[in-house]
Amino acid sequence: MKIALGSDHGGFRLKEEIKRLLDSLQLAYEDFGCTCEDSVDYPDYALPVAEKVAAGEFDRGILVCGTGIGMSIAANKIPGVRCALVHDTFSARATREHNDSNILALGERVVGPGLALDIVKVWLETEFQGGRHARRVEKLKQIEARYAGVKQGGSVTN
Ligand code: RB5
């Protein structure tokens, strides 16, 4: 499994911890920044990770900011991304089993490092269950296709 990583300054330290975890699990990853705790803009770091995952160049992505919210909003703008903002291990498991989430967003200012690393482990280990959940994920893709190319504030009529 190949994992794309990204953070802003608010998530930088947790991203470093996640890299140590991935090293210990011998999982391949690439870090798309940021590279220090200087203030940056989270969409700039969500975008490359989301694009690489959506294109199939990476199997999964992990994004960290202060809350995880900005990263998850940004990543979910990219068609093909199902980014889940998770702060507990129950949701980490459920979002893989039910939503087939391909990007995990975490908030460094919300969860402690111990819990965050447990969340990452559970999320990486859990398989999508398919079945009725596949039908629902298919409906997410239909929504995406329906709004493809529609300008901000626009709507579709059929
Ligand atoms: C940065 O201060 C903070 O706004 C960012 O890390 C994130 O929490 C945004 O959603």
Side-chain angles (χ1 to χ4, degrees), residues 21-146:
L21 171 69
L22 298 180
D23 285 334
S24 75
L25 297 173
Q26 296 186 306
L27 288 172
Y29 62 83
E30 190 170 334
D31 184 353
F32 290 89
C34 61
T35 57
C36 67
E37 290 183 70
D38 292 350
S39 185
V40 293
D41 299 334
Y42 57 82
D44 296 339
Y45 296 89
L47 186 62
V49 169
E51 285 181 337
K52 300 280 176 193
V53 172
E57 290 175 45
F58 286 79
D59 304 293
R60 306 271 191 92
I62 301 175
L63 291 168
V64 194
C65 63
T67 60
I69 297 170
M71 284 297 196
S72 60
I73 292 172
N76 278 316
K77 302 285 180 200
I78 284 72
V81 165
R82 290 178 301 283
C83 177
L85 171 59
V86 171
H87 292 133
D88 62 277
T89 52
F90 178 86
S91 303
R93 188 174 297 105
T95 189
R96 283 290 310 133
E97 289 179 346
H98 293 201
N99 315 123
D100 198 15
S101 54
N102 49 13
I103 297 185
L104 172 68
L106 290 163
E108 181 185 305
R109 297 172 186 160
V110 183
V111 284
L115 176 56
L117 296 183
D118 275 356
I119 289 169
V120 169
K121 269 188 269 181
V122 168
W123 185 76
L124 289 174
E125 284 164 3
T126 306
E127 293 297 323
F128 179 46
Q129 278 183 349
R132 68 186 187 283
H133 303 298
R135 183 180 70 239
R136 293 161 187 166
V137 169
E138 196 49 46
K139 289 188 178 186
L140 294 178
K141 293 178 184 168
Q142 286 169 13
I143 293 172
E144 220 167 52
R146 187 174 158 89

